[in-house]
Amino acid sequence: MNARLPASDAGSITRVAGIEVGHFTDTRRPTGCTVVMAREGAVGGVDVRGAAPGTRETDLLNPCNLVEKVHAIMLAGGSAWGLEAATGAVRWLEERGVGFDVAVGRLPIVPAAVLFDLLVGDMRIRPDAAAGYAACAAASTADPAEGNIGAGTGAAVGKIFGMQRAMKGGVGTASITVGGVTVGALIACNALGDVVDPDTAQVIAGARTEDGLRLRDTRRALLRGELPQPLLAGTNTTIGVVATDAVITKVQAHRLAVAAHDGLARSINPVHTMSDGDTLFTLGTGLSGKHPGMLVLATMAAEATAIATARAVRAAQALTTSDGLHLPCAADLA
């Protein structure tokens, strides 16, 4: 159920030292979860820009709060139900002695965010603790698969003019290395808006015309006065993780998450809407022993995020559900 582009084209988040990724894809309906793991601990940050987020443990990432390092980030489908996948990750990590020392044991810190994929197949099937546990068991430092996999399995993009005119979203990843420091991103793209090429600004995937054969270009359609369909808040959302091996503080991790949203804004239009819960986490492993400065790191974070978002739809494959919903992929309309 997944597509894969050569990782050499754009790298991947696992090129960041200390980062592992694992997917779980449910075979009963298109949904799943993806874990980005830093089992030795990584300085964490988060920035939530969408108006309808579904998250767990984001308050502790506030720079003024106590815990500095986290051990994994869970991304999942299933809307709020999917947050349960993080419980499985906590259990998997605890069994391996990974976590924050609380004197009587080790407590794994696993923030999470979810996207809404309940319109694709039987909504009663969604990621749970067992799914999160399985994603951790599958984690490795290999370049992760992209497309219809993990948290992106049931993702769709371009839903402003109705789900019947949407296209398939997915998971994408990319990385950039400058001066011996690497920044990588992994994005699960389930955007309300269109996905555009960050270099050319051309629409790659999104809302289709009435005949379903061409891209509608949502931005221009809205500016022409075409009316969107009534939208249920929170039925979309792009979520992801940006990781670096630079040495960063918790305040700087937060600023990198803020900067990474610039990458979303370059690759999704419209973005950060009232019907999206767009959330990006950051992880800093510090294993390069270097800090090139926040201007460079922020530029790298935005770039990796933009590329990973575009790859999420370019790697996706068309999907038809048992109830007749058809979501073509970018390659179908290229």
Side-chain angles (χ1 to χ4, degrees):
M1 290 186 64
N2 66 85
R4 184 171 182 154
L5 301 179
S8 59
D9 288 354
S12 79
I13 195 171
T14 53
R15 305 293 177 88
V16 175
I19 296 297
E20 302 171 57
V21 170
H23 296 299
F24 169 80
T25 303
D26 202 312
T27 59
R28 298 171 296 168
R29 89 155 175 101
T31 193
C33 59
T34 297
V35 67
V36 180
M37 191 185 305
R39 66 174 79 193
E40 298 302 318
V43 177
V46 68
D47 188 38
V48 179
R49 292 292 177 93
T55 58
R56 165 174 164 158
E57 298 277 42
T58 51
D59 281 353
L60 66 80
L61 296 176
N62 187 308
C64 71
N65 288 338
L66 174 67
V67 174
E68 181 162 323
K69 291 190 174 182
V70 302
H71 306 95
I73 303 291
M74 181 62 70
L75 309 176
S79 192
W81 286 290
L83 291 171
E84 181 64 17
T87 300
V90 169
R91 179 162 59 89
W92 190 92
L93 289 164
E94 182 191 16
E95 289 174 358
R96 285 150 185 83
V98 174
F100 180 65
D101 188 353
V102 291
V104 293
R106 289 196 171 270
L107 174 64
I109 307 298
V110 184
V114 292
L115 55 80
F116 185 98
D117 59 5
L118 303 180
L119 300 179
V120 183
D122 185 351
M123 62 82 67
R124 295 171 296 180
I125 299 170
R126 51 252 182 175
D128 56 12
Y133 190 97
C136 291
S140 78
T141 58
D143 293 320
E146 302 174 270
N148 302 22
I149 195 165
T153 306
V157 300
K159 290 161 275 189
I160 287 178
F161 299 103
M163 192 68 177
Q164 74 279 6
R165 294 288 174 262
M167 293 178 65
K168 189 68 186 71
V171 165
T173 186
S175 64
I176 297 168
T177 300
V178 175
V181 169
T182 299
V183 176
L186 183 142
I187 301 294
C189 185
N190 185 54
L192 176 68
D194 295 344
V195 177
V196 301
D197 186 303
D199 290 322
T200 68
Q202 296 299 305
V203 179
I204 304 168
R208 293 174 288 139
T209 53
E210 291 303 314
D211 61 10
L213 301 178
R214 300 182 308 281
L215 290 165
R216 192 164 185 165
D217 194 329
T218 294
R219 177 174 66 93
R220 288 185 169 88
L222 292 174
L223 294 175
R224 285 193 300 268
E226 297 182 26
L227 297 177
Q229 287 204 358
L231 304 171
L232 180 62
T235 53
N236 305 281
T237 299
T238 296
I239 52 179
V241 180
V242 174
T244 181
D245 52 17
V247 178
I248 58 174
T249 66
K250 196 173 180 182
V251 171
Q252 290 169 335
H254 170 71
R255 291 307 305 174
L256 278 188
V258 172
H261 276 282
D262 293 347
L264 282 193
R266 286 177 16 216
S267 54
I268 300 173
N269 196 327
V271 71
H272 304 143
T273 75
M274 294 297 292
S275 294
D276 286 288
D278 301 329
T279 301
L280 295 178
F281 296 94
T282 35
L283 295 172
T285 67
L287 292 178
S288 73
K290 301 179 180 181
H291 181 78
M294 284 302 294
L295 180 60
V296 173
L297 283 177
T299 301
M300 294 168 71
E303 186 73 6
T305 299
I307 295 169
T309 303
R311 285 177 67 87
V313 295
R314 285 186 165 129
Q317 294 179 338
L319 173 69
T320 301
T321 65
S322 58
D323 58 2
L325 174 65
H326 178 63
L327 298 172
C329 63
D332 293 337
L333 273 68

